[in-house]
Amino acid sequence: MPARRIPSLNWLRVFEAAARLGSFAKAADELAISAPAVSKQIRALEGHLGKSLFLRGAHSVTLSDEGSAFLPSVQHALQSIEVTATALFGAKKSEPLSVQATAIFANSWLAPRLGEFRDRHPEVQLRLLDSVEPSIEAAPDLAIEFGAVPPAMEHDRLFGEVLYPVATSALSLAIQSAEQLFQQTLIEIPFHRTSWMQLLAEAPGIDAARARFTLVDTTQSALALAAAGYGIALARAPATDFLVEALGLEPCWPALSISGSQHYHLVYASRLGLTPAAVKFRSWLLEATSDALQQ
């Protein structure tokens, strides 16, 4: 077997067209090359792979078993390249924008509102990055951070959070007292500055030492466990409002809540250095967060 198994991209394009159209001649017309060139490139691909991809008749061709098995992967790969190229390099008039955001902000607060920004600014080509493990090496145009703002960065404060316990509807209805609360598993994120221990300290007559905890790394994991009936998680309004509703979670013991000590911020190196697309996103985000807090 050859050491290199990745075929020529041009061979793959010719193979995909011939397989999709069921004809070397039609593939030649679509690709603006000659029919003999199509036949030659497909034979080169077959030689490279060591398998026949087509069964050739007097006036037609059909895929062999190997060709039928190979075609979906080729089509997926070519489509993926085309989609990525369009997204990254698209129309010349598009304005690229990279925004890095915490997972809970991106997936719960931003997700249901981002369509409004897209509709208002279709010229902006947005790339939304995970704040834990960004997929590009260059610094993003904007970042949405929770807690401390990185040194030497400018920022806008967006909003804080209010923590309250949530569980499945059945479980939330069953909890009417501290005693019933402590009979359940409390799902905790240990590295958050404000969490279950601070909440329980605000409740009169509660001995937090009696609580039974399960530790998780993210708010999304905590809410997912709560939705599965595992225990009680802490919602962090307004950032988690969308996920709480989507997962069907309900407040339990509604009187028990606490304001968090940290805030979300929009962070950037310099307001004067923002790109036109970043200026548009910043303006929209400040308006959207202001409107949401007034509702």
Side-chain angles (χ1 to χ4, degrees), residues 103-105 107-108 132 166-167 185-192 196 214-236 240 243-244 247 249:
I104 196 64
F105 190 97
N107 297 328
S108 185
V132 176
V166 291
T185 299
L186 307 183
I187 306 167
E188 174 75 306
I189 304 170
F191 56 81
H192 274 291
W196 270 110
T214 286
L215 306 182
V216 298
D217 285 339
T218 69
T219 299
Q220 290 172 284
S221 296
L223 295 177
L225 284 176
Y230 181 85
I232 306 173
L234 286 178
R236 298 173 177 272
T240 60
L243 277 182
V244 166
L247 292 171
L249 295 170

Side-chain angles (χ1 to χ4, degrees), residues 152-293:
M153 299 290 281
E154 296 186 28
H155 65 95
D156 302 294
R157 180 182 286 192
L158 301 179
F159 51 70
E161 60 179 6
V162 175
L163 287 72
Y164 62 95
V166 291
T168 61
S169 179
L171 183 54
S172 65
L173 290 173
I175 297 173
Q176 301 296 326
S177 67
E179 187 64 33
Q180 291 170 328
L181 182 71
F182 286 129
Q183 290 173 2
Q184 306 298 326
T185 299
L186 307 183
I187 306 167
E188 174 75 306
I189 304 170
F191 56 81
H192 274 291
R193 183 177 297 178
T194 307
S195 198
W196 270 110
M197 296 306 292
Q198 290 74 27
L199 183 70
L200 296 176
E202 295 294 317
I206 292 183
D207 180 8
R210 297 172 52 205
R212 179 178 59 188
F213 294 103
T214 286
L215 306 182
V216 298
D217 285 339
T218 69
T219 299
Q220 290 172 284
S221 296
L223 295 177
L225 284 176
Y230 181 85
I232 306 173
L234 286 178
R236 298 173 177 272
T240 60
D241 289 353
F242 175 75
L243 277 182
V244 166
E245 181 178 356
L247 292 171
L249 295 170
E250 298 286 345
C252 48
W253 211 358
L256 189 60
S257 65
I258 186 175
S259 295
S261 59
Q262 295 175 297
H263 295 77
Y264 286 93
H265 299 86
L266 179 66
V267 179
Y268 40 88
S270 168
R271 187 177 304 180
L272 294 177
L274 292 178
T275 66
V279 170
K280 294 171 183 177
F281 188 88
R282 174 181 178 271
S283 177
W284 169 81
L285 183 62
L286 294 180
E287 177 186 328
T289 53
S290 177
D291 290 346
L293 293 176

Side-chain angles (χ1 to χ4, degrees), residues 110-152:
L110 195 56
R113 296 173 172 87
L114 203 53
E116 178 187 339
F117 175 77
R118 176 203 58 205
D119 294 343
R120 189 182 298 186
H121 298 290
E123 73 282 2
V124 174
Q125 179 61 58
L126 176 65
R127 188 171 190 183
L128 190 59
L129 306 172
D130 189 327
S131 64
V132 176
E133 189 174 357
S135 57
I136 60 173
E137 295 181 3
D141 298 307
L142 299 167
I144 298 167
E145 304 278 1
F146 181 71
V149 176

